[in-house]
C-alpha cells in the first residue's frame, strides 16, 4: 500500500533505452556500457551488499562523517529546505540528516523503480512529518523536480552521497554538477561525498573483494542482458577485473572475455577476442582541492569539507 505522504513519479527509462545504449556501447572500441545499467533489482541488492564489505570502506567512512557532522550541516544549511537526492536508491544516508535538517519535503530520484518505491515508502513511514516525492528517473539525463514538489521557505539542497560523482568522467562530472547548480538555484547547496585518492592496494581491494560480491555485481550486467535483451552470454566465459589506474586517478572495472567468442545481443552478433574487455565502470578519486576546483567550474564554491578519522573519504558542502 502506498503511504499517504508519498508521491511517485515514473519517468523510468524504457527497455528500448537499455537496448540502444548497450548496442551502441558494444559496437564501439573499446567497448563500454555505462554503469547506470548495473542497477536492476538484483544489481541494487548486490550493491547494498558491497557497501557492507570489509574492503569497501567508502560507505562506513561517509556515514562516520555525516553522523559526526549532522548538527553542523543543519546549522549551515538551515531548516525548511527542499531536499533533493539524485540517485537516492536506498535513501539510507539521508536518514542521518533528516531530524537535524527538518526539510519541508524530500525528493529521492532513482533509476531503479522497485528499489526506490520500497525505500521511499520506508522513509515516509519512519519520518511521518516528512513529505516524500519519489521520482523514478535517469537523473543523468533529466534533472527536473516533480511538479508536486513544494516551494520551500529555506534553500534547495541537493544531497549526492556515496562518491557517485566518481562514476562520471571529470567533464561529465562538471556537466552534472552544473545541472545540480541550476536545480538548487541561487542560495542553494550541494552536500556531496567524494572518495579521496589513496594507496593503490586499498583501492584495488575495495573493488575486487575476497568474497566476490563486486565480481557478481559486475557479471550481473551480462545476466541482465541475457534476461532483458535476449542475449546469450555464457557467464563461465567472462571474468571481473578491477584496478586503480593511477595515471587517470580512477578505478576501472571491466568484464574480460576468457576465450574467443561470439555473443548475440538484441538480435545482433558481437565477436570478442580472448582477453578483450567490456569496460563497465570508472570510479574517479579526488583530492580535496582538486574536487573543489572541479565544482568551481560548475558554479559552486566551497562552504565546508569534512573527512573521516582515517582521511579516506571527503564530504563537501558546496554553495552556489
Ligand atoms: C555507486 N558507486 C559510487 C560505486 C563506486 O564505488 O564507484 C559503484 C561500485 N562499483 C563497484 N563497487 C562499487
Amino acid at each position: 500500500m502506498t503511504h499517504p505522504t508519498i508521491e511517485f513519479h515514473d519517468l523510468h527509462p524504457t527497455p528500448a533505452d537499455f537496448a540502444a545504449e548497450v548496442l551502441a556501447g558494444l559496437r564501439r572500441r573499446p567497448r563500454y556500457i555505462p554503469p547506470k545499467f548495473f542497477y536492476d533489482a538484483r544489481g541494487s541488492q548486490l550493491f547494498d551488499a558491497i557497501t557492507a564489505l570489509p574492503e569497501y570502506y567508502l560507505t562506513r567512512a561517509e556515514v562516520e562523517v555525516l553522523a559526526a557532522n549532522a548538527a553542523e550541516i543543519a546549522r549551515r544549511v538551515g531548516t525548511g529546505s527542499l531536499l533533493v537526492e539524485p540517485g537516492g536508491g536506498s535513501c539510507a544516508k539521508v536518514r542521518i540528516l533528516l531530524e537535524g535538517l527538518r526539510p519541508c519535503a524530500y525528493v529521492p530520484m532513482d533509476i531503479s523503480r522497485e528499489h526506490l518505491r520500497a525505500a521511499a515508502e520506508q522513509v515516509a513511514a519512519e519520518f511521518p512529518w516528512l513529505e516524500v516525492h519519489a521520482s523514478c528517473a535517469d537523473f543523468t539525463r533529466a534533472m527536473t523536480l516533480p511538479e508536486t514538489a513544494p516551494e520551500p521557505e529555506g534553500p534547495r539542497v541537493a544531497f549526492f552521497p556515496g562518491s557517485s560523482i566518481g562514476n562520471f568522467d571529470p567533464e561529465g562530472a562538471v556537466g552534472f554538477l552544473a545541472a545540480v547548480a541550476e536545480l538548487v538555484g541561487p542560495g542553494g547547496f550541494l552536500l556531496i561525498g567524494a572518495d579521496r585518492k589513496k594507496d593503490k592496494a586499498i583501492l584495488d581491494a575495495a573493488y575486487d573483494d575476497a568474497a566476490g560480491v563486486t565480481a557478481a555485481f559486475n557479471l550481473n550486467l551480462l545476466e541482465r542482458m541475457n534476461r532483458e535483451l535476449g542475449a546469450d552470454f555464457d557467464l563461465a566465459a567472462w571474468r571481473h577485473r578491477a584496478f586503480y589506474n593511477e595515471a587517470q586517478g580512477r578505478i576501472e572495472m571491466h568484464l574480460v572475455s576468457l576465450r574467443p567468442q561470439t555473443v548475440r545481443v538484441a538480435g545482433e552478433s558481437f565477436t570478442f577476442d580472448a582477453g578483450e574487455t567490456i569496460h563497465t565502470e570508472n570510479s574517479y578519486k579526488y583530492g580535496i582541492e582538486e574536487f573543489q576546483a572541479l565544482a568551481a567550474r560548475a558554479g559552486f564554491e566551497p562552504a565546508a569539507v569534512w573527512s573521516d578519522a582515517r582521511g579516506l573519504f571527503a564530504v563537501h558542502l558546496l554553495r552556489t
Side-chain angles (χ1 to χ4, degrees):
M1 215 187 79
T2 305
H3 192 280
T5 58
I6 281 215
E7 292 271 348
F8 199 85
H9 305 268
D10 200 343
L11 305 168
H12 198 267
T14 64
D17 294 332
F18 181 40
E21 291 203 44
V22 162
L23 290 175
L26 291 178
R27 285 178 197 136
R28 47 167 277 193
R29 297 290 189 287
R31 305 189 205 246
Y32 175 77
I33 298 177
K36 65 184 178 185
F37 294 121
F38 283 138
Y39 302 93
D40 64 350
R42 173 87 183 123
S44 296
Q45 279 170 359
L46 285 165
F47 179 67
D48 284 349
I50 287 174
T51 64
L53 290 169
E55 297 94 334
Y56 196 78
Y57 60 85
L58 288 80
T59 311
R60 281 182 301 279
E62 187 174 46
V63 165
E64 175 191 323
V65 176
L66 292 173
N69 299 287
E72 173 69 4
I73 292 166
R75 193 185 65 73
R76 286 175 179 269
V77 166
T79 53
S81 60
L82 180 71
L83 183 60
V84 184
E85 186 175 359
S90 313
C91 311
K93 293 167 192 161
V94 77
R95 289 173 163 82
I96 303 169
L97 304 172
L98 285 173
E99 285 299 348
L101 274 182
R102 285 266 159 176
C104 72
Y106 169 55
V107 181
M109 302 174 166
D110 202 273
I111 193 171
S112 180
R113 186 201 283 123
E114 292 318 316
H115 202 61
L116 173 68
R117 183 191 293 276
E121 287 182 3
Q122 185 65 39
V123 172
E126 273 173 47
F127 299 87
W129 50 266
L130 183 65
E131 265 185 53
V132 180
H133 299 257
S135 179
C136 184
D138 179 354
F139 65 82
T140 63
R141 288 192 180 174
M143 182 95 69
T144 50
L145 289 173
E147 278 171 18
T148 53
E151 206 43 63
E153 279 179 21
R156 289 185 179 180
V157 181
F159 180 45
F160 199 56
S163 201
S164 295
I165 193 67
N167 297 134
F168 294 88
D169 64 32
E171 287 311 307
V174 172
F176 171 78
L177 293 173
V180 174
E182 196 174 320
L183 183 84
V184 299
F189 287 91
L190 168 60
L191 184 68
I192 183 166
D195 195 19
R196 298 175 69 178
K197 287 194 160 83
K198 63 185 62 67
D199 191 79
K200 177 171 165 60
I202 297 176
L203 285 164
D204 284 349
Y207 290 83
D208 194 8
D209 61 282
V213 181
T214 311
F217 174 71
N218 199 5
L219 288 158
N220 177 60
L221 186 60
L222 302 180
E223 293 179 72
R224 181 174 185 189
M225 289 189 266
N226 286 352
R227 282 192 296 267
E228 295 181 28
L229 304 180
D232 59 359
F233 283 98
D234 171 4
L235 273 285
W238 294 85
R239 194 175 67 77
H240 164 70
R241 180 186 294 158
F243 59 91
Y244 184 54
N245 178 334
E246 289 193 271
Q248 300 280 348
R250 69 189 189 199
I251 287 279
E252 292 186 16
M253 293 216 312
H254 296 258
L255 289 159
V256 187
S257 173
L258 296 179
R259 53 172 163 78
Q261 54 184 317
T262 299
V263 180
R264 302 258 320 154
V265 183
E268 194 168 323
S269 289
F270 296 93
T271 299
F272 297 89
D273 296 331
E276 193 177 343
T277 79
I278 305 172
H279 188 168
T280 51
E281 187 174 63
N282 289 321
S283 192
Y284 282 83
K285 310 300 169 185
Y286 291 105
I288 285 177
E289 289 80 23
E290 184 185 15
F291 189 74
Q292 289 172 338
L294 192 86
R297 290 175 55 202
F300 281 109
E301 59 181 52
V305 59
W306 302 275
S307 227
D308 57 296
R310 293 170 66 199
L312 298 173
F313 195 94
V315 175
H316 297 257
L317 182 65
L318 306 167
R319 72 174 151 237
T320 51

